[in-house]
Amino acid sequence: LTALLPSMDGAERSARRATASARPKLKKFLLRYYPPGIILEYELAGELMQRSVDLLDLSADTDADVLVNAITRQESMIKESHREPLRKLVKKLQSKLRAVSTKSFSLVKELRAHILPLTNCAFNKSGDKFITGSYDRTCKVFDTDTGEEIHTLEGHKNVVYAIAFNNPYGDKIITGSFDKTCKLWDANTGECYYTLRGHASEIVCL
């Protein structure tokens, strides 16, 4: 019986470690301005994970202390030591809501160039050109001042989802598609330089 005791203690310690690792441990807060919210980055079973706390009803007049109390009750991983950093983030969000924008915007032109919905748009560094990607498998290049279509970049076999200029130069365009390829184009002529292959799934970011 005595010989068995150490192994039992070891098993108990292992069980306790396993139980502890199964509890989420908060690592840090991340701020999300729009829609307003706070993201909890935590560790669970050795993996980093995230969970969003949406603050859609937050206003400049919201009582920050009451809100922090509510969040703390909702999220068990938030400890007493986390309350003040959390309160500062709520105040920062409220400060953003109080900021009065003096900018005004007006519609200059409406372009209906694609036959299917758009996925993305991007301007070059100088702002004199912009590009659009679409479900119609093309990317189009436009003159910003006139709205005139300069080029239609064709060649992808599926949705053109991700698009970008090589800013600050702006003389090349890259497109990423659900056909699992990227294409590099000349922004001035519309010529395709390369088709880049290698991904096993859709390309959604460049």
Side-chain angles (χ1 to χ4, degrees):
L1 180 59
T2 304
L4 289 175
L5 287 176
S7 62
M8 290 174 65
D9 291 344
E12 186 178 352
R13 285 196 297 271
S14 297
R16 287 180 178 175
R17 283 197 297 269
T19 302
S21 66
R23 295 185 189 131
K25 181 180 180 182
L26 184 64
K27 305 297 286 186
K28 63 180 175 180
F29 295 115
L30 301 171
L31 197 59
R32 188 187 68 203
Y33 282 109
Y34 187 82
I38 293 170
I39 299 170
L40 310 179
E41 185 171 283
Y42 61 97
E43 185 178 352
L44 181 62
E47 291 188 22
L48 275 180
M49 307 179 78
Q50 291 185 347
R51 182 157 70 232
S52 295
V53 178
D54 295 325
L55 304 175
L56 305 182
D57 296 326
L58 181 70
S59 72
D61 300 322
T62 301
D63 188 315
D65 292 318
V66 171
L67 182 56
V68 167
N69 288 338
I71 296 172
T72 303
R73 286 194 300 270
Q74 175 185 325
E75 299 292 343
S76 60
M77 72 178 85
I78 298 178
K79 307 302 180 187
E80 187 63 32
S81 60
H82 300 136
R83 291 175 60 86
E84 186 57 27
L86 180 58
R87 184 178 177 278
K88 287 180 179 178
L89 290 179
V90 170
K91 287 289 189 181
K92 197 168 184 179
L93 283 172
Q94 289 180 304
S95 176
K96 187 75 172 178
L97 290 172
R98 289 189 190 96
V100 178
S101 176
T102 57
K103 295 179 181 178
S104 61
F105 302 90
S106 60
L107 179 65
V108 176
K109 191 179 291 288
E110 187 172 333
L111 306 176
R112 299 181 181 274
H114 290 277
I115 59 174
L116 290 175
L118 274 66
T119 57
N120 238 316
C121 60
F123 284 88
N124 64 358
K125 178 73 173 178
S126 62
D128 63 337
K129 289 179 185 175
F130 69 92
I131 52 178
T132 56
S134 171
Y135 276 83
D136 67 10
R137 306 180 182 184
T138 69
C139 174
K140 291 181 182 285
V141 187
F142 293 92
D143 182 287
T144 302
D145 291 331
T146 65
E148 178 186 355
E149 181 183 319
I150 303 172
H151 301 296
T152 297
L153 311 181
E154 298 179 288
H156 283 293
K157 293 179 172 60
N158 208 325
V159 176
V160 175
Y161 191 83
I163 56 177
F165 281 96
N166 65 324
N167 289 328
Y169 306 104
D171 59 344
K172 294 179 181 64
I173 295 166
I174 190 164
T175 55
S177 170
F178 283 5
D179 66 9
K180 306 173 188 176
T181 70
C182 279
K183 291 181 181 288
L184 185 66
W185 312 79
D186 186 309
N188 297 312
T189 67
E191 175 190 356
C192 182
Y193 288 127
Y194 307 109
T195 297
L196 310 175
R197 297 179 173 85
H199 284 286
S201 190
E202 295 88 349
I203 296 172
V204 297
C205 189
L206 297 169

